[in-house]
Amino acid sequence: MKLVILDTAEAIAQRAADEIEALLTAKPNAILGTATGSSPLPLYDELTARCAAGRISFAEVTGFMLDEYVGLPEGHPERYATFMETNLRSRVDMRPGALHGPNALAEDLQAACQEYEEQMAAAGYCDLQILGIGTDGHIGFNEPGGPLDSRTHVDVLTEQTRRDNARFFNDDIEAVPTHCLTQGLATIMEARKLLLIATGEGKAQAIRELVEGEISAEWPATVMQGHDDALVLVDPAAASLLTRD
């Protein structure tokens, strides 16, 4: 696992975009794993700018989302399918329907998880998976205490995660869904490259555990320590609790 500390979110976005540009140059039909939340937004802005400038193209790219809330209707502004359509898919030349997510509107959620896992497996899983990290160390919506070998599954969101995400719901924790569908940790680890972005001091403890802690289900992101090609991009605030040079 490689850690790079960069001064600003914009510098992080540029470095992350360089990784994706290199991938799409070498493999125009790459499989890209996408993440939601505030951390990847500058990256999506940078990718949009590079696409508009003709440096990269998403015309042959297939995308797979990490996760989705259960209980939000289609078109809801905080539904992750809406987020990805608004912030990436519609802004670049990616084909309509090329960005897939787990079907959190299905009557049988377990079956929907199995179907999504099979869809990713059939595609060969992701060439590059974009990741954020929760204050409690979750990646995707794999909350602390879950199995490190999990596949796509239904998960229950912790109060901490719901509190963190309440800012997207007018600071109303009661409006934040309690359940989600998420790629499992073992599913995420299938990606050929992991690219994690973290900014702000609120992520500092999670980054310290990720980089310097032991692999533990209590800090799910630590599973990344076992990946052959994982790049962690952070700002000084997110790196502020690291003790090793």
Side-chain angles (χ1 to χ4, degrees):
M1 186 170 62
K2 182 178 181 180
L3 172 72
V4 178
I5 303 171
L6 297 166
D7 287 339
T8 65
E10 290 72 23
I12 289 172
Q14 290 171 8
R15 175 61 186 273
D18 288 345
E19 297 289 333
I20 294 171
E21 181 173 341
L23 170 64
L24 298 187
T25 299
K27 186 178 180 181
N29 64 339
I31 309 297
L32 182 66
T34 64
T36 55
S38 56
S39 296
L41 285 175
L43 169 59
Y44 296 152
D45 288 341
E46 180 66 19
L47 293 175
T48 297
R50 294 190 188 196
C51 187
R55 290 177 58 176
I56 57 175
S57 173
F58 292 82
E60 299 179 52
V61 170
T62 298
F64 287 99
M65 292 167 41
L66 272 172
D67 41 34
E68 183 60 275
Y69 285 121
V70 172
L72 297 184
E74 194 157 0
H76 190 286
E78 296 307 327
R79 194 164 182 262
Y80 284 159
T82 306
F83 177 100
M84 288 309 312
E85 176 68 19
T86 300
N87 290 293
L88 183 65
R89 209 292 307 167
S90 67
R91 300 173 68 196
V92 296
D93 58 347
M94 185 181 287
R95 307 177 314 278
L99 182 58
H100 306 283
N103 182 11
L105 299 175
E107 290 187 12
D108 187 337
L109 294 177
Q110 297 291 349
C113 291
Q114 180 66 27
E115 180 180 351
Y116 194 52
E117 185 77 30
E118 291 174 355
Q119 188 179 16
M120 287 183 285
Y125 291 101
C126 294
D127 291 296
L128 184 150
Q129 175 65 62
I130 302 165
L131 296 167
I133 189 169
T135 59
D136 60 2
H138 70 250
I139 52 175
F141 266 143
N142 293 279
E143 298 285 30
L148 296 178
D149 60 352
S150 60
R151 294 287 176 172
T152 304
H153 61 282
V154 182
D155 213 330
V156 179
L157 300 179
T158 64
E159 182 178 350
Q160 179 65 54
T161 295
R162 294 178 70 229
R163 191 182 307 119
D164 290 344
N165 289 0
R167 68 188 189 277
F168 301 117
F169 292 82
N170 297 316
D171 292 319
D172 180 8
I173 191 173
E174 296 304 319
V176 182
T178 58
H179 290 72
C180 65
L181 305 188
T182 183
Q183 289 187 31
L185 293 173
T187 309
I188 291 169
M189 290 285 284
E190 293 279 6
R192 261 73 71 194
K193 185 178 187 70
L194 302 180
L195 175 61
L196 187 144
I197 296 170
T199 57
E201 62 182 45
K203 303 297 179 69
Q205 185 63 39
I207 291 299
R208 179 177 178 178
E209 296 294 337
L210 168 61
V211 176
E212 298 181 350
E214 301 293 329
I215 296 177
S216 168
E218 293 309 308
W219 293 92
T222 57
V223 72
M224 291 175 56
Q225 295 177 20
H227 198 280
D228 291 336
D229 189 0
L231 176 62
V232 178
L233 303 177
V234 300
D235 67 359
S240 61
L241 294 181
L242 295 175
T243 60
R244 295 200 292 263
D245 293 332

